[in-house]
Every structure is written in C-alpha cells, then in structure tokens.
Amino acid sequence: MKSKILALSKNEEFKNLLKQKKISNKYVSIFFGKLLNKDKKRLNISFVTKKKIGSAVKRNKIKRRLRNIMNEAVKKVEINFDYSFLVIAKSSMLNNEYKIIKETLFQDFAKIK
C-alpha cells in the first residue's frame, strides 16, 4: 500500500509554514497552515531535527519515530488534509518513551481542525 504521507520540498513552503499557526508541547513544535497547489488526498508533512540534538544517528532515530507515529495517526486520528505540517523535534524526544510521545502528538493533532 502506498503511503499517505508526502514531504514538503521547496524552501518557500517551509518559510510560509513558519509564518502561520503553531502548537508546541514538550516534545515538538508543530507549524501548520494551508499551502497553495498541494495534493488534498495526501498528508503534506516534514520532520526537522536540529544539529544541537546530537549525532546523525540520534536525529534519524527521532525522525523514524515521528514518521511511524504519523503513519498511525493517519489511521486513528482525524487529520485535516487541507493543512500542511512542519514538525520540529526537541531534544526531550530522545529520553522519553515512544508511547508517551505518541499520545501527546495524537492529542495535538486532534486539536488542529
């Protein structure tokens, strides 16, 4: 089955999202808004980890976790496909359990309507 997640690609898209709405929690900051010329059938989302967090291994682990959580969220939580998302991870993601992070992110995505 083909994934319903599509990554943002252009620098302009990132800049536009950073100017729009934001939700933050202990683990991530989520920027979201509507972008022009986007596929409404797929979830437009990108994951960003800063170099301050650690080595490439640690940063990739965080991205894998986020991708996995979002694949589950598409199935279980009603996510608005009209919006595009930019998820910026915080360093607290490394030291906490997957289950707790998943529940927190599900709550945040449920708030976005």
Side-chain angles (χ1 to χ4, degrees):
M1 187 175 102
K2 212 172 189 183
S3 173
K4 292 190 175 194
I5 292 179
L6 182 68
L8 301 172
S9 58
K10 297 181 182 169
N11 192 21
E12 299 160 11
E13 295 172 347
F14 286 94
K15 287 181 180 177
N16 279 339
L17 283 180
L18 288 171
K19 293 177 187 173
Q20 297 188 28
K21 298 176 187 174
K22 174 185 172 183
I23 289 182
S24 288
N25 63 35
K26 187 178 175 184
Y27 308 110
V28 295
S29 295
I30 303 170
F31 293 89
F32 62 97
K34 293 186 179 182
L35 295 177
L36 300 174
N37 303 325
K38 285 309 208 179
D39 188 4
K40 304 287 187 212
K41 295 176 183 172
R42 300 177 103 191
L43 179 62
N44 297 304
I45 189 167
S46 282
F47 306 106
V48 177
T49 55
K50 298 178 182 176
K51 281 195 175 182
K52 270 187 191 176
I53 291 176
S55 66
V57 174
K58 292 177 183 177
R59 294 193 308 267
N60 288 334
K61 179 181 178 182
I62 289 173
K63 288 182 199 175
R64 279 195 312 273
R65 278 183 163 188
L66 286 171
R67 243 182 267 118
N68 198 9
I69 289 171
M70 287 314 301
N71 278 326
E72 291 180 35
V74 167
K75 297 171 189 167
K76 296 180 181 176
V77 180
E78 284 188 36
I79 295 178
N80 192 348
F81 284 99
D82 292 338
Y83 287 129
S84 296
F85 299 94
L86 175 61
V87 180
I88 299 177
K90 296 181 181 176
S91 59
S92 59
M93 265 196 80
L94 272 176
N95 305 325
N96 288 298
E97 289 185 41
Y98 176 81
K99 187 176 178 182
I100 297 167
I101 297 168
K102 179 176 146 183
E103 290 170 3
T104 309
L105 286 176
F106 275 22
Q107 291 170 359
D108 282 349
F109 276 100
K111 288 179 192 174
I112 299 172
K113 295 287 176 176

